[in-house]
Short mmCIF file of all heavy atoms in Angstrom, two decimals:
data_model
loop_
_atom_site.label_atom_id
_atom_site.label_comp_id
_atom_site.label_asym_id
_atom_site.label_seq_id
_atom_site.Cartn_x
_atom_site.Cartn_y
_atom_site.Cartn_z
N ALA F 189 -2.64 1.19 -7.70
CA ALA F 189 -1.75 1.35 -6.62
C ALA F 189 -0.35 1.20 -6.99
O ALA F 189 0.56 1.99 -6.63
CB ALA F 189 -2.11 0.37 -5.48
N HIS F 190 -0.06 0.27 -7.81
CA HIS F 190 1.32 0.04 -8.37
C HIS F 190 1.77 1.18 -9.15
O HIS F 190 2.93 1.56 -9.16
CB HIS F 190 1.46 -1.28 -9.13
CG HIS F 190 1.41 -2.45 -8.08
ND1 HIS F 190 1.64 -3.79 -8.56
CD2 HIS F 190 1.17 -2.54 -6.79
CE1 HIS F 190 1.56 -4.64 -7.52
NE2 HIS F 190 1.40 -3.85 -6.46
N ALA F 191 0.82 1.76 -10.02
CA ALA F 191 1.22 2.99 -10.73
C ALA F 191 1.65 4.06 -9.89
O ALA F 191 2.44 4.92 -10.18
CB ALA F 191 0.08 3.31 -11.67
N ILE F 192 0.77 4.28 -8.77
CA ILE F 192 1.28 5.37 -7.83
C ILE F 192 2.54 5.09 -7.15
O ILE F 192 3.36 6.00 -7.12
CB ILE F 192 0.14 5.39 -6.67
CG1 ILE F 192 -1.24 5.87 -7.23
CG2 ILE F 192 0.54 6.29 -5.50
CD1 ILE F 192 -2.50 5.61 -6.31
N LEU F 193 2.79 3.84 -6.83
CA LEU F 193 4.19 3.60 -6.24
C LEU F 193 5.23 3.84 -7.23
O LEU F 193 6.33 4.38 -6.91
CB LEU F 193 4.11 2.12 -5.83
CG LEU F 193 3.39 1.74 -4.48
CD1 LEU F 193 2.98 0.28 -4.35
CD2 LEU F 193 4.27 2.13 -3.19
N ASP F 194 5.09 3.50 -8.55
CA ASP F 194 5.97 3.67 -9.55
C ASP F 194 6.32 5.10 -9.76
O ASP F 194 7.48 5.52 -9.83
CB ASP F 194 5.50 3.18 -10.88
CG ASP F 194 5.49 1.62 -10.94
OD1 ASP F 194 6.24 0.93 -10.19
OD2 ASP F 194 4.83 1.05 -11.77
N LYS F 195 5.18 5.96 -9.72
CA LYS F 195 5.46 7.41 -9.94
C LYS F 195 6.23 8.08 -8.71
O LYS F 195 7.17 8.89 -9.05
CB LYS F 195 4.13 8.11 -10.17
CG LYS F 195 4.29 9.61 -10.42
CD LYS F 195 3.03 10.17 -11.05
CE LYS F 195 3.22 11.64 -11.51
NZ LYS F 195 2.20 12.23 -12.20
N ALA F 196 5.99 7.68 -7.63
CA ALA F 196 6.53 8.11 -6.39
C ALA F 196 8.02 7.69 -6.49
O ALA F 196 8.95 8.52 -6.13
CB ALA F 196 5.90 7.66 -5.17
N ALA F 197 8.26 6.42 -6.72
CA ALA F 197 9.66 5.95 -6.78
C ALA F 197 10.50 6.62 -7.79
O ALA F 197 11.60 7.05 -7.63
CB ALA F 197 9.65 4.42 -7.01
N ASP F 198 9.82 6.91 -9.01
CA ASP F 198 10.57 7.55 -10.04
C ASP F 198 10.98 8.97 -9.70
O ASP F 198 11.92 9.48 -10.18
CB ASP F 198 9.69 7.60 -11.38
CG ASP F 198 9.58 6.26 -12.03
OD1 ASP F 198 10.34 5.32 -11.65
OD2 ASP F 198 8.63 6.05 -12.81
N ALA F 199 10.28 9.56 -8.86
CA ALA F 199 10.47 11.08 -8.36
C ALA F 199 11.57 10.89 -7.19
O ALA F 199 11.88 12.07 -6.65
CB ALA F 199 9.18 11.65 -7.81
N GLY F 200 11.97 9.76 -6.67
CA GLY F 200 12.96 9.77 -5.58
C GLY F 200 12.41 9.46 -4.27
O GLY F 200 13.17 9.45 -3.25
N VAL F 201 11.10 9.20 -4.16
CA VAL F 201 10.51 8.80 -2.87
C VAL F 201 11.01 7.41 -2.45
O VAL F 201 10.94 6.52 -3.23
CB VAL F 201 8.97 8.82 -2.85
CG1 VAL F 201 8.43 8.29 -1.58
CG2 VAL F 201 8.40 10.20 -3.17
N THR F 202 11.67 7.33 -1.28
CA THR F 202 12.24 6.14 -0.74
C THR F 202 11.53 5.63 0.56
O THR F 202 11.88 4.60 1.08
CB THR F 202 13.68 6.19 -0.51
OG1 THR F 202 13.90 7.23 0.37
CG2 THR F 202 14.40 6.51 -1.76
N PHE F 203 10.43 6.35 0.92
CA PHE F 203 9.89 6.13 2.20
C PHE F 203 8.39 5.72 1.98
O PHE F 203 7.63 6.51 1.36
CB PHE F 203 10.03 7.39 3.08
CG PHE F 203 9.71 7.17 4.48
CD1 PHE F 203 9.45 6.04 5.22
CD2 PHE F 203 9.73 8.38 5.31
CE1 PHE F 203 9.29 5.82 6.51
CE2 PHE F 203 9.35 8.28 6.70
CZ PHE F 203 9.26 7.11 7.26
N ILE F 204 7.95 4.57 2.49
CA ILE F 204 6.51 4.10 2.17
C ILE F 204 5.86 3.81 3.64
O ILE F 204 6.49 3.03 4.43
CB ILE F 204 6.54 2.88 1.37
CG1 ILE F 204 7.14 3.16 0.01
CG2 ILE F 204 5.13 2.28 1.13
CD1 ILE F 204 7.41 1.82 -0.84
N ASP F 205 4.81 4.30 3.87
CA ASP F 205 4.01 4.11 5.03
C ASP F 205 2.75 3.41 4.79
O ASP F 205 1.96 3.63 3.92
CB ASP F 205 3.68 5.49 5.73
CG ASP F 205 3.03 5.32 7.06
OD1 ASP F 205 3.64 4.72 8.07
OD2 ASP F 205 1.73 5.56 7.19
N THR F 206 2.45 2.31 5.58
CA THR F 206 1.27 1.64 5.49
C THR F 206 0.72 1.25 6.91
O THR F 206 1.26 1.74 7.88
CB THR F 206 1.41 0.36 4.54
OG1 THR F 206 0.23 -0.17 4.36
CG2 THR F 206 2.36 -0.67 5.26
N ALA F 207 -0.17 0.35 6.95
CA ALA F 207 -0.71 -0.11 8.29
C ALA F 207 -1.55 -1.38 8.12
O ALA F 207 -2.10 -1.66 6.99
CB ALA F 207 -1.63 1.02 8.97
N ASP F 208 -1.60 -2.23 9.17
CA ASP F 208 -2.27 -3.48 8.99
C ASP F 208 -3.74 -3.41 8.96
O ASP F 208 -4.40 -4.32 8.51
CB ASP F 208 -1.83 -4.41 10.18
CG ASP F 208 -2.28 -3.91 11.56
OD1 ASP F 208 -2.86 -2.81 11.72
OD2 ASP F 208 -1.96 -4.55 12.54
N VAL F 209 -4.32 -2.23 9.32
CA VAL F 209 -5.80 -2.04 9.16
C VAL F 209 -6.27 -1.58 7.76
O VAL F 209 -7.46 -1.45 7.48
CB VAL F 209 -6.43 -1.14 10.26
CG1 VAL F 209 -6.27 -1.71 11.68
CG2 VAL F 209 -5.82 0.24 10.18
N TYR F 210 -5.24 -1.09 6.98
CA TYR F 210 -5.60 -0.53 5.64
C TYR F 210 -6.17 -1.63 4.73
O TYR F 210 -5.68 -2.67 4.85
CB TYR F 210 -4.42 0.20 5.03
CG TYR F 210 -4.00 1.48 5.80
CD1 TYR F 210 -2.80 2.00 5.47
CD2 TYR F 210 -4.73 2.15 6.67
CE1 TYR F 210 -2.31 3.18 6.15
CE2 TYR F 210 -4.39 3.25 7.37
CZ TYR F 210 -3.17 3.75 7.08
OH TYR F 210 -2.74 4.96 7.78
N PRO F 211 -6.99 -1.16 3.84
CA PRO F 211 -7.33 0.18 3.27
C PRO F 211 -8.34 0.94 4.12
O PRO F 211 -9.04 0.44 4.85
CB PRO F 211 -7.96 -0.13 1.98
CG PRO F 211 -8.62 -1.53 2.05
CD PRO F 211 -7.79 -2.27 3.03
N LEU F 212 -8.15 2.27 4.05
CA LEU F 212 -9.07 3.16 4.80
C LEU F 212 -10.51 2.89 4.45
O LEU F 212 -10.92 2.78 3.35
CB LEU F 212 -8.64 4.63 4.39
CG LEU F 212 -9.59 5.71 5.07
CD1 LEU F 212 -9.29 5.85 6.47
CD2 LEU F 212 -9.40 7.06 4.22
N GLY F 213 -11.22 2.78 5.59
CA GLY F 213 -12.66 2.49 5.34
C GLY F 213 -13.04 1.08 5.10
O GLY F 213 -14.26 0.74 4.92
N GLY F 214 -12.03 0.19 5.08
CA GLY F 214 -12.32 -1.19 4.79
C GLY F 214 -12.80 -1.93 6.15
O GLY F 214 -12.72 -1.41 7.26
N SER F 215 -13.33 -3.05 5.94
CA SER F 215 -13.75 -3.92 7.11
C SER F 215 -12.72 -4.69 7.53
O SER F 215 -11.64 -4.89 6.94
CB SER F 215 -14.99 -4.76 6.61
OG SER F 215 -14.51 -5.76 5.57
N GLU F 216 -12.98 -5.52 8.75
CA GLU F 216 -11.87 -6.44 9.19
C GLU F 216 -11.59 -7.50 8.20
O GLU F 216 -10.55 -8.01 8.23
CB GLU F 216 -12.43 -7.04 10.51
CG GLU F 216 -12.64 -6.06 11.71
CD GLU F 216 -13.38 -6.65 12.89
OE1 GLU F 216 -13.32 -7.88 12.93
OE2 GLU F 216 -13.88 -5.99 13.64
N ASP F 217 -12.60 -7.81 7.40
CA ASP F 217 -12.40 -8.90 6.40
C ASP F 217 -11.33 -8.54 5.31
O ASP F 217 -10.71 -9.45 4.83
CB ASP F 217 -13.68 -9.11 5.64
CG ASP F 217 -14.82 -9.73 6.52
OD1 ASP F 217 -14.45 -10.26 7.65
OD2 ASP F 217 -15.94 -9.59 6.15
N ILE F 218 -11.07 -7.21 5.14
CA ILE F 218 -10.11 -6.93 4.20
C ILE F 218 -8.90 -6.13 4.75
O ILE F 218 -8.04 -5.68 3.96
CB ILE F 218 -10.63 -6.06 2.95
CG1 ILE F 218 -11.24 -4.75 3.48
CG2 ILE F 218 -11.77 -6.82 2.27
CD1 ILE F 218 -11.61 -3.72 2.39
N ALA F 219 -8.86 -6.11 5.99
CA ALA F 219 -7.67 -5.48 6.79
C ALA F 219 -6.39 -6.23 6.27
O ALA F 219 -6.40 -7.55 6.34
CB ALA F 219 -7.91 -5.48 8.30
N GLY F 220 -5.47 -5.57 5.92
CA GLY F 220 -4.27 -6.22 5.53
C GLY F 220 -4.03 -6.28 4.02
O GLY F 220 -3.00 -6.49 3.47
N ARG F 221 -5.16 -6.03 3.25
CA ARG F 221 -5.00 -5.97 1.81
C ARG F 221 -4.03 -4.95 1.26
O ARG F 221 -3.24 -5.25 0.41
CB ARG F 221 -6.43 -5.64 1.20
CG ARG F 221 -6.45 -5.69 -0.38
CD ARG F 221 -7.73 -5.20 -0.88
NE ARG F 221 -8.76 -6.24 -0.60
CZ ARG F 221 -10.11 -6.18 -0.89
NH1 ARG F 221 -10.54 -5.04 -1.50
NH2 ARG F 221 -10.96 -7.16 -0.61
N THR F 222 -3.97 -3.80 1.97
CA THR F 222 -2.98 -2.83 1.50
C THR F 222 -1.50 -3.33 1.69
O THR F 222 -0.73 -3.16 0.75
CB THR F 222 -3.10 -1.46 2.24
OG1 THR F 222 -4.44 -1.05 2.12
CG2 THR F 222 -2.16 -0.45 1.90
N GLU F 223 -1.24 -3.95 2.73
CA GLU F 223 0.14 -4.47 2.95
C GLU F 223 0.41 -5.60 1.80
O GLU F 223 1.58 -5.58 1.39
CB GLU F 223 0.28 -5.07 4.37
CG GLU F 223 0.35 -3.96 5.48
CD GLU F 223 0.53 -4.65 6.85
OE1 GLU F 223 -0.01 -5.70 7.07
OE2 GLU F 223 1.24 -4.05 7.67
N GLU F 224 -0.54 -6.33 1.60
CA GLU F 224 -0.36 -7.31 0.52
C GLU F 224 -0.01 -6.64 -0.82
O GLU F 224 0.91 -7.11 -1.60
CB GLU F 224 -1.52 -8.27 0.36
CG GLU F 224 -1.74 -9.14 1.57
CD GLU F 224 -3.12 -9.83 1.50
OE1 GLU F 224 -3.94 -9.43 0.63
OE2 GLU F 224 -3.26 -10.76 2.34
N ILE F 225 -0.64 -5.55 -1.18
CA ILE F 225 -0.45 -4.88 -2.50
C ILE F 225 0.87 -4.20 -2.42
O ILE F 225 1.66 -4.40 -3.39
CB ILE F 225 -1.58 -3.86 -2.59
CG1 ILE F 225 -2.90 -4.46 -2.98
CG2 ILE F 225 -1.18 -2.94 -3.81
CD1 ILE F 225 -4.04 -3.49 -2.95
N VAL F 226 1.26 -3.70 -1.33
CA VAL F 226 2.60 -3.03 -1.23
C VAL F 226 3.69 -4.19 -1.31
O VAL F 226 4.72 -4.04 -1.95
CB VAL F 226 2.77 -2.29 0.05
CG1 VAL F 226 4.21 -1.80 0.30
CG2 VAL F 226 1.74 -1.07 0.07
N GLY F 227 3.42 -5.23 -0.63
CA GLY F 227 4.37 -6.37 -0.59
C GLY F 227 4.70 -6.84 -2.02
O GLY F 227 5.81 -7.24 -2.37
N ARG F 228 3.66 -7.07 -2.85
CA ARG F 228 3.81 -7.52 -4.24
C ARG F 228 4.61 -6.52 -5.02
O ARG F 228 5.43 -6.92 -5.85
CB ARG F 228 2.46 -7.93 -4.81
CG ARG F 228 1.98 -9.14 -4.27
CD ARG F 228 0.67 -9.64 -5.05
NE ARG F 228 -0.52 -8.85 -4.77
CZ ARG F 228 -1.41 -9.18 -3.79
NH1 ARG F 228 -1.19 -10.19 -3.07
NH2 ARG F 228 -2.47 -8.34 -3.61
N TRP F 229 4.47 -5.29 -4.85
CA TRP F 229 5.23 -4.32 -5.49
C TRP F 229 6.65 -4.23 -5.06
O TRP F 229 7.45 -4.03 -5.84
CB TRP F 229 4.63 -2.86 -5.33
CG TRP F 229 5.26 -1.77 -6.11
CD1 TRP F 229 5.06 -1.44 -7.42
CD2 TRP F 229 6.33 -0.95 -5.63
NE1 TRP F 229 5.81 -0.44 -7.76
CE2 TRP F 229 6.63 -0.03 -6.65
CE3 TRP F 229 7.00 -0.78 -4.40
CZ2 TRP F 229 7.65 0.94 -6.54
CZ3 TRP F 229 7.91 0.17 -4.28
CH2 TRP F 229 8.25 1.05 -5.35
#
């Protein structure tokens, strides 16, 4: 995920979209994991 963010940023992408229920297909137990990954990056 961080490699994806790096590549997008290097190309000039400045806009990032996420959601509190992500990752896609995840259960309630892991809802929010995506935001945590984005936050650390």
Side-chain angles (χ1 to χ4, degrees):
H190 284 187
I192 291 168
L193 285 158
D194 287 340
K195 183 161 185 171
D198 288 345
V201 173
T202 57
F203 195 10
I204 301 170
D205 180 72
T206 189
D208 62 1
V209 295
Y210 291 165
L212 175 73
S215 64
E216 293 171 22
D217 294 340
I218 64 171
R221 181 184 291 177
T222 300
E223 288 182 325
E224 292 173 347
I225 291 172
V226 172
R228 285 189 283 271
W229 183 85

